[in-house]
Amino acid sequence: DAGVTQSPTHLIKTRGQQVTLRCSPKSGHDTVSWYQQALGQGPQFIFQYYEEEERQRGNFPDRFSGHQFPNYSSELNVNALLLGDSALYLCASSWGGSGGTGELFFGEGSRLTVL
Amino acid sequence: GQNIDQPTEMTATEGAIVQINCTYQTSGFNGLFWYQQHAGEAPTFLSYNVLDGLEEKGRFSSFLSRSKGYSYLLLKELQMKDSASYLCAIRNQAGTALIFGKGTTLSVSS
């Protein structure tokens, strides 16, 4: 049973560029959440997708956008990259959107470096 | 708003017991979680508390007091592999997001 898979694992971009990160949830999960984790910090919630719609959004600018596909996979897009966007981007999947134990299964992350 | 505090670093020796504290302030409580994260790896779920009291799972236990806005993670019989960051998180009222603390880096030495 494959867990949460993310791609790419590492990438380097320059300021002003755009990036797309991809995530496939754990088998049986229908909800995908994205988190940003800066070095030495805890993960920060970006948004959650459920039934192909953005269900909840954290305190991130509109430069951060996402999408969920019918097969529950998801993309995170970041436009007009800033140096401060350098971080580990974690995708987490769960079942049922909200409620339950809320156990999130995290992927290994995509490490983005903005130069 | 929500605020979570936990110590930045802790050290302990193999075989010992360590308690990692977490205090929180939130406008709506919907469960508290502990995650373990080894360097360069994904966070993994350790425990979940929604009611006051102690939840035990093998060498790991987690305690919650909602009235005090306080939780702790207790690790017994420490092993070198327990060296990791331990993240305390509370779930938002809508149940759609976890709000994480900055994490506590635990170093276990022999």
Side-chain angles (χ1 to χ4, degrees):
Chain A
D1 176 26
V4 180
T5 58
Q6 293 186 242
S7 63
T9 54
H10 295 82
L11 68 167
I12 300 174
K13 294 286 188 178
T14 56
R15 280 178 297 176
Q17 285 189 312
Q18 177 264 346
V19 68
T20 298
L21 308 178
R22 296 175 176 82
C23 172
S24 293
K26 181 178 169 63
S27 178
H29 286 181
D30 59 2
T31 303
V32 173
S33 303
W34 287 92
Y35 289 79
Q36 180 195 66
Q37 186 174 26
L39 202 60
Q41 303 293 314
Q44 277 196 294
F45 176 71
I46 302 174
F47 40 54
Q48 181 185 84
Y49 276 85
Y50 175 64
E51 294 186 339
E52 301 181 49
E53 292 190 357
E54 184 182 288
R55 187 187 183 105
Q56 179 90 35
R57 187 179 185 90
N59 189 25
F60 278 80
D62 292 344
R63 297 187 298 109
F64 290 76
S65 63
H67 188 77
Q68 185 179 36
F69 300 93
N71 67 353
Y72 308 122
S73 67
S74 177
E75 287 183 350
L76 165 65
N77 300 291
V78 186
N79 294 322
L81 284 168
L82 305 174
L83 296 179
D85 296 332
S86 295
L88 180 67
Y89 288 85
L90 293 164
C91 172
S93 74
S94 56
W95 181 83
S98 62
T101 65
E103 180 178 349
L104 296 181
F105 289 81
F106 284 88
E108 296 290 333
S110 295
R111 170 110 15 225
L112 171 65
T113 301
V114 182
L115 302 177
Chain B
Q2 291 155 318
N3 187 53
I4 299 172
D5 287 313
Q6 49 182 131
T8 305
E9 294 180 344
M10 298 184 71
T11 60
T13 54
E14 269 188 306
I17 300 173
V18 71
Q19 177 175 311
I20 302 175
N21 295 323
C22 171
T23 58
Y24 65 89
Q25 295 173 316
T26 180
S27 54
F29 182 81
N30 194 7
L32 187 141
F33 301 78
W34 284 94
Y35 278 78
Q36 180 191 61
Q37 186 176 27
H38 286 100
E41 297 183 11
T44 55
F45 171 81
L46 288 178
S47 69
Y48 165 72
N49 296 72
V50 66
L51 299 176
D52 290 354
L54 189 68
E55 292 285 339
E56 296 185 84
K57 190 185 288 187
R59 295 189 299 115
F60 292 59
S61 303
S62 58
F63 172 83
L64 174 67
S65 169
R66 289 172 295 170
S67 63
K68 296 181 179 178
Y70 168 69
S71 173
Y72 68 72
L73 179 69
L74 193 71
L75 294 78
K76 303 176 185 176
E77 302 170 11
L78 281 173
Q79 303 173 11
M80 297 291 284
K81 68 178 182 179
D82 296 329
S83 293
S85 177
Y86 291 86
L87 299 161
C88 174
I90 54 176
R91 186 163 60 186
N92 66 350
Q93 188 65 43
T96 52
L98 293 185
I99 313 302
F100 285 87
K102 293 184 177 181
T104 298
T105 300
L106 174 65
S107 299
V108 180
S109 59
S110 56

